[in-house]
Amino acid sequence: MRQIAENLLQVQHRIRAACSSAGRNPEEITLVAVSKGQPVEVIREAYAAGQRAFGENYAQELAAKAAALADLPLEWHFTGHLQRNKAKAVAPLVQCVETIDAIETAKQLAQKRTAPLDILIQVKIANEATKSGVSPAELPALAEALRTLEGIQLRGLMCLPPYDPDPSRSRPAFHQLAELLKGLNSRLPPSQKLCDLSMGMSHDFEIAIDEGATIVRIGTALFGERA
Ligand SMILES: *Cc1c(COP(=O)(O)O)cnc(C)c1O
């Protein structure tokens, strides 16, 4: 268990080092600990070591963990594909849904909120194996529709490039996501600019930070291999 506190320190150190080489402020980076497949005791251990934001990929697993950990002030991010019929159950539990790729899902989420819910649009960069995410061509229209939807607050973009053992292969996707955010922002008034780029996982987050990530989603480097 002490291992998790040690891993967390190490990841935080790597984030600071990546920021330092990129000339960025580490305060700009939110570390989301992706705890899917991990038991609640492990989340408690990470919390005790100072971690606050956690990511879950499955609605049922999230609901069970949020209930079991209701005594802790955790910030939950939904990082898996969100089925439309699960949106209403997820909405009251999370601070952020990172994987929006359809206006209908966002409308379902918005209905169940009193305070606006942060959302990110998942973008499918070229060659991604996953079926989730909008194409870069579809992005502007979805972003515009989401910006005017009450109950949610569009914060930025997320991507999940295919796993490649060579992390430098993720760089073009991260770069493209940052460019897409710039493109959206070029059409928005300064007060409405989108700030967040969720990109980078255990094996490639340093490169994501170099390309402008503000949210890194890290599982294995904190918790070890998933069962
Ligand atoms: C599982 C998962 C992660 C964490 O991956 P690691 O390689 O274990 O760090 C990050 N983002 C998403 C969307 C995931 O599904």
Side-chain angles (χ1 to χ4, degrees), residues 34 36 57 79-80 158 160 201-203 217-221 226:
V34 179
K36 63 180 184 221
N57 281 31
T79 49
M158 176 268 202
L160 183 60
M201 312 187 0
S202 291
H203 73 296
R217 310 177 310 265
I218 297 179
T220 315
R226 284 175 286 275

Side-chain angles (χ1 to χ4, degrees), residues 11-24 26 206 209:
V11 167
Q12 288 165 341
H13 175 79
R14 286 170 61 188
I15 289 173
R16 282 195 301 274
C19 283
S20 165
S21 349
R24 299 186 58 198
E206 280 112 334
I209 287 173

Side-chain angles (χ1 to χ4, degrees), residues 89-211:
V90 164
L93 304 176
V94 296
Q95 271 67 39
C96 182
V97 175
E98 298 202 8
T99 51
I100 290 298
D101 62 2
I103 187 72
E104 277 311 318
T105 315
K107 282 182 180 165
Q108 298 285 321
L109 286 169
Q111 280 177 24
K112 284 289 169 184
R113 292 290 291 197
T114 43
L117 169 66
D118 289 343
I119 64 164
L120 304 176
I121 298 176
Q122 182 174 358
V123 185
K124 191 166 32 178
I125 307 292
N127 302 327
E128 269 180 48
T130 168
K131 291 199 189 81
S132 306
V134 292
S135 68
E138 296 165 316
L139 174 62
L142 179 59
E144 195 47 41
L146 290 171
R147 275 184 355 93
T148 51
L149 184 62
E150 266 179 62
I152 56 110
Q153 180 74 53
L154 178 61
R155 296 287 182 193
L157 307 178
M158 176 268 202
C159 75
L160 183 60
Y163 177 80
D164 191 305
D166 175 1
S168 70
R169 298 275 186 92
S170 301
R171 187 182 288 278
F174 296 155
H175 188 76
Q176 191 184 345
L177 197 72
E179 290 297 311
L180 289 168
L181 190 77
K182 273 190 212 161
L184 292 177
N185 279 337
S186 69
R187 278 171 266 161
L188 295 175
S191 65
Q192 292 178 32
K193 297 238 187 282
L194 308 175
C195 296
D196 280 319
L197 283 171
S198 175
M199 52 192 198
M201 312 187 0
S202 291
H203 73 296
D204 58 12
F205 70 84
E206 280 112 334
I207 289 168
I209 287 173
D210 196 45
E211 292 292 340

Side-chain angles (χ1 to χ4, degrees), residues 33-103:
V34 179
S35 49
K36 63 180 184 221
Q38 303 294 343
V40 292
E41 299 75 55
V42 162
I43 298 176
R44 284 192 185 278
E45 195 64 27
Y47 174 83
Q51 181 62 27
R52 292 295 175 269
F54 292 86
E56 288 286 339
N57 281 31
Y58 306 100
Q60 263 179 326
E61 187 178 342
L62 166 69
K65 286 177 176 173
L69 296 164
D71 56 312
L72 303 182
L74 304 182
E75 175 184 326
W76 292 105
H77 287 228
F78 196 81
T79 49
H81 176 68
L82 182 56
Q83 290 169 274
R84 199 179 302 177
N85 63 352
K86 300 280 169 64
K88 283 185 179 166
V90 164
L93 304 176
V94 296
Q95 271 67 39
C96 182
V97 175
E98 298 202 8
T99 51
I100 290 298
D101 62 2
I103 187 72

